[in-house]
Amino acid sequence: MDRMDLRRADVRNLAIIAHVDHGKTTLVDALLKQSNIFRENEHVGSLILDSNPLEREKGITIMAKNAAVEYRGVRINIIDTPGHADFGGEVERVLNMADGCLLLVDAVEGPMPQTKFVLRKALELGLHAIVVVNKIDRPNARIPEVIRETQDLFLDLATEDHQLDFPVVYANARDGYAGREPGITSGTMEPLFDAILEHTPGPVHDDEAPFRMLVTTLAYDSYRGRTAIGRIRDGRIHPAEMVIRHDHDGVTSQHRIAQVFGFEGLGRVELSEARAGDIVALTGIPDIQIGETIANVEAAGPLPVIAIEEPALKMTFRINDSPFAGREGQFVTSRQLRDRLYREVETNVALRVEDGETADAFVVSGRGELHLAILVETMRREGYEFAVTRPEVILRQGPHGIEEPFEKIYIEAPEASTGFLIETLAGRKAQMTGMHSDHNGDVRLDFEIPTRGLIGFRDTFISGTGGEGIMNTEQIGYRAWAGEITRVRNGALIANEPGSALAFGIANAQERGILFIEPGVEVYEGMVVGLHAKDNDLVVNVCKAKKLTNIRSSTSDIAVKLTPPQPPSLERSLSLIAADELVEITPKSVRIRKAHLTAVDRDRAKKKVALAAGA
């Protein structure tokens, strides 16, 4: 009998794919609630799988997660995948556990670039797709057009004939109903459950073969230690069974499995046996890593390692050496910073960490600005205090010399901003590949642009489109170096002495540009307190007080008029800083500062750079 005929009928392994904000996590909520895994009096709220506070705040899925529901005697393992290309490392490894996927598209927006990225990975693995058109109740829904756009997307990406013949389910995940016709207005999610059972194949299994499993996710708790999660490829596994671990270097070691867990709802249940096709969590191997194989002692060898796309951006993490160092953070030493970064690599497989030029600096490489920013924000909330440099692209030597990463950028914006966008992106070495207008007065622009041309572009894009533009990107690989890009950013307003900012000093400084701080904020020499109206740096004294005299001033002179400050967010700070600046990260504050705090040190650094350029 052919191995592909050995499919289990009692299990379905399903990944859910969607662009950011198309309702993927809301759909999972509806499936979990209607499968009766919760007690009637149990309050579970919404966005159930988004347990990470950052995911709830940003409205995106960052970490892939597992859940399981029972429907008509079939266990449906649900794999929630991130929708953003920056978290593609999560996507690539967890899709290996699935046999089918739900592609969720918005009834108004249709398939978007991030959808394309994840769907391509799924189809390359031969997964069977079900298309779910969500938010069909929206008044401006354009369902026929969205179906045509989705068909075009499959024609572009499909690797097998069966992938072009996909079923379509129409849903309103927020209100918890779905159907096979677009005109439905009520009901339950049963039509979607039925479509999953009908169109998603069960996992291939060979219960008699020796046990093998590829580790795709790790979990940890203080009682059980590290837990390896993955789908069993062959055979069966029992608690207390001896297994062989094949590590990344090809070295084998023998271990005893302590416990075997399966998934039930949002939790885990201990199993006495698990079979090929099951998604399980195994304990007992203390230093297991993602991508390694756990196998029976009689198994022929390890499973193929999951290929992960290489990082495109890097930044340097270093200890915080500002005058405010150690005031707010719990973890401030280079040893603590190093341990935390190397621990992140164990579970965040798209990340790379290397020791820097000095003992207190570490080079961290990731997929994009958001990927790195999420790591920074996570560490900040854990109590770490450190400083980071501006993100830089990772270059490599190729057949045509130096190569750099490129991305496709898709823009929807008011037609009036077309000229501004074309001119701005042209200065960042972008090439336009498509342009068309719609009947609503908006224009769709497609560009191919070096990744470094996108660093810091988001703020310019928001201001240039009046906040009405939508921008999405997709990585397209390495190409020949596009040439120098002139980075236009106004100079910095730099504090020239430590102390508390005063209204009089701020009033004088705000005439020179935009301020980040308000009265009462503590500053130090070398801290960037705002942006200059011109392109050169300017030293200002925001701690200056008005001299007192015995001459009474008029009321208008007494009332100092201050413009509200515009402190940059963490993401904006990372893209805003210049090459000679750092972002100081603490659990309570985000500050921009010069790498060299005193004016004398900054002058010396400039002379060194000039001498090096002359040589």
Side-chain angles (χ1 to χ4, degrees):
M1 182 180 292
D2 190 284
R3 177 180 170 86
M4 297 304 291
D5 295 329
L6 298 171
R7 291 190 177 272
R8 291 179 60 177
D10 61 336
V11 174
R12 300 290 188 275
N13 295 322
L14 187 75
I16 299 188
I17 296 169
H19 183 77
V20 175
D21 201 34
H22 278 200
K24 170 166 53 67
T25 307
T26 305
L27 181 74
V28 175
D29 284 357
L31 295 175
L32 291 171
K33 290 175 180 177
Q34 293 191 24
S35 63
N36 299 317
I37 66 168
F38 304 113
R39 301 187 309 271
E40 290 186 8
N41 64 344
E42 186 175 359
H43 175 72
V44 294
S46 60
L47 306 180
I48 301 168
L49 276 184
D50 281 352
S51 54
N52 185 328
L54 266 178
E55 294 180 318
R56 288 180 174 267
E57 289 175 21
K58 295 182 176 292
I60 60 175
T61 300
I62 297 171
M63 301 295 292
K65 305 172 193 68
N66 296 83
V69 299
E70 291 278 346
Y71 180 73
R72 295 186 178 175
V74 178
R75 175 178 296 273
I76 302 174
N77 289 309
I78 299 172
I79 305 163
D80 189 19
T81 64
H84 197 287
D86 276 15
F87 306 107
E90 289 284 312
V91 172
E92 291 166 37
R93 56 189 172 88
V94 299
L95 285 179
N96 280 267
M97 295 193 289
D99 299 291
C101 63
L102 288 185
L103 173 64
L104 195 68
V105 296
D106 190 291
V108 174
E109 296 182 357
M112 300 291 279
Q114 307 296 359
T115 309
K116 184 177 181 180
F117 167 80
V118 185
L119 181 62
R120 179 190 292 117
K121 298 295 180 185
L123 297 183
E124 286 174 355
L125 292 170
L127 302 191
H128 295 248
I130 300 171
V131 173
V132 180
V133 180
N134 192 28
K135 305 184 183 181
I136 59 174
D137 59 317
R138 293 180 64 175
N140 52 346
R142 50 184 194 95
I143 295 173
E145 293 90 341
V146 167
I147 295 297
R148 285 196 295 271
E149 292 171 5
T150 306
Q151 290 171 337
D152 292 342
L153 181 63
F154 273 80
L155 281 170
D156 187 31
L157 300 180
T159 58
E160 300 178 25
D161 291 342
H162 72 81
Q163 294 170 338
L164 298 174
D165 185 23
F166 54 84
V168 179
V169 177
Y170 305 90
N172 179 349
R174 183 194 60 196
D175 295 337
Y177 62 83
R180 302 304 291 266
E181 300 296 330
I184 60 166
T185 57
S186 63
T188 67
M189 301 302 289
E190 282 198 9
L192 179 54
F193 278 118
D194 291 335
I196 292 171
L197 297 192
E198 180 183 352
H199 297 284
T200 302
V204 174
H205 73 106
D206 185 352
D207 292 343
E208 304 308 317
F211 166 78
R212 287 195 303 175
M213 184 187 95
L214 187 69
V215 179
T216 54
T217 310
L218 293 178
Y220 180 85
D221 67 56
S222 56
Y223 176 66
R224 298 186 181 93
R226 193 174 296 187
T227 302
I229 300 173
R231 189 177 89 168
I232 299 177
R233 178 76 166 75
D234 298 309
R236 303 168 184 260
I237 188 69
H238 307 84
E241 186 173 326
M242 294 299 297
V243 295
I244 297 293
R245 169 199 173 191
H246 299 265
D247 70 13
H248 291 294
D249 298 322
V251 178
T252 60
S253 55
Q254 199 166 30
H255 302 268
R256 186 180 299 277
I257 297 297
Q259 295 163 298
V260 179
F261 293 93
F263 291 89
E264 185 174 284
L266 297 175
R268 300 177 190 166
V269 291
E270 195 164 354
L271 304 176
S272 59
E273 180 188 71
R275 301 166 51 200
D278 288 331
I279 295 177
V280 296
L282 307 179
T283 64
I285 307 178
D287 56 348
I288 189 70
Q289 294 188 13
I290 288 173
E292 296 182 344
T293 298
I294 304 173
N296 185 278
V297 293
E298 298 177 0
L303 292 166
V305 177
I306 303 167
I308 304 294
E309 288 187 9
E310 292 299 311
L313 287 180
K314 65 180 179 180
M315 60 170 36
T316 299
F317 285 54
R318 47 179 277 188
I319 62 168
N320 182 21
D321 59 359
S322 83
F324 292 171
R327 289 190 180 185
E328 301 173 352
Q330 180 182 357
F331 308 107
V332 298
T333 67
S334 60
R335 179 185 60 80
Q336 291 169 329
L337 181 61
R338 185 182 192 278
D339 290 347
R340 175 63 181 84
L341 290 172
Y342 278 95
R343 192 165 68 246
E344 181 71 19
V345 176
E346 294 180 0
T347 54
N348 195 340
V349 294
L351 203 71
R352 303 284 187 275
V353 177
E354 301 170 333
D355 291 342
E357 296 179 355
T358 61
D360 57 5
F362 310 94
V363 179
V364 180
S365 306
R367 295 286 283 265
E369 284 184 277
L370 183 61
H371 187 202
L372 295 172
I374 290 295
L375 171 62
V376 171
E377 178 65 22
T378 301
M379 292 175 60
R380 184 178 80 86
R381 296 187 181 201
E382 292 174 357
Y384 286 84
E385 184 175 308
F386 53 97
V388 297
T389 62
R390 186 180 71 186
E392 300 176 3
V393 297
I394 299 173
L395 306 177
R396 72 180 189 187
Q397 282 293 132
H400 306 291
I402 298 177
E403 295 182 343
E404 62 177 326
F406 271 69
E407 299 185 33
K408 280 188 176 180
I409 176 171
Y410 305 86
I411 292 175
E412 292 182 25
E415 200 161 356
S417 59
T418 303
F420 164 80
L421 290 170
I422 293 175
E423 182 180 356
T424 303
L425 288 168
R428 293 170 176 263
K429 303 297 183 182
Q431 298 288 330
M432 183 186 291
T433 58
M435 173 181 177
H436 62 268
S437 302
D438 62 21
H439 58 278
N440 296 322
D442 291 337
V443 64
R444 164 79 177 266
L445 302 171
D446 301 340
F447 294 89
E448 293 182 355
I449 184 172
T451 298
R452 62 193 167 97
L454 286 175
I455 297 175
F457 173 67
R458 195 170 298 275
D459 283 333
T460 304
F461 173 74
I462 292 172
S463 60
T465 60
E468 298 182 20
I470 299 173
M471 181 177 76
N472 293 288
T473 61
E474 174 195 358
Q475 293 182 339
I476 55 176
Y478 275 76
R479 295 183 179 179
W481 171 262
E484 291 296 329
I485 295 177
T486 303
R487 191 166 186 263
V488 179
R489 194 209 77 174
N490 289 359
L493 295 177
I494 309 167
N496 71 342
E497 65 176 45
S500 293
L502 300 174
F504 184 76
I506 289 179
N508 289 334
Q510 73 182 12
E511 296 177 2
R512 306 285 188 167
I514 299 171
L515 271 293
F516 297 156
I517 61 170
E518 59 186 1
V521 172
E522 292 284 324
V523 300
Y524 53 81
E525 182 182 5
M527 178 174 161
V528 175
V529 296
L531 289 181
H532 193 194
K534 299 181 180 179
D535 58 4
N536 63 301
D537 290 346
L538 181 68
V539 175
V540 295
N541 186 1
V542 291
C543 302
K544 185 177 182 180
K546 184 176 181 181
K547 293 182 179 179
L548 300 178
T549 69
N550 60 357
I551 300 174
R552 181 175 296 177
S553 300
S554 65
T555 305
S556 62
D557 187 43
I558 294 172
V560 177
K561 297 179 181 179
L562 299 181
T563 304
Q566 300 179 30
S569 64
L570 171 60
E571 289 88 347
R572 182 167 181 248
S573 297
L574 293 176
S575 61
L576 185 66
I577 59 174
D580 65 339
E581 294 170 356
L582 302 172
V583 181
E584 179 184 354
I585 313 289
T586 76
K588 297 180 181 178
S589 308
V590 175
R591 307 181 187 96
I592 298 177
R593 49 160 286 195
K594 288 294 181 180
H596 301 280
L597 296 179
T598 66
V600 172
D601 288 342
R602 291 195 293 274
D603 288 340
R604 286 175 181 165
K606 287 180 182 177
K607 289 178 182 177
K608 284 184 180 179
V609 172
L611 288 172

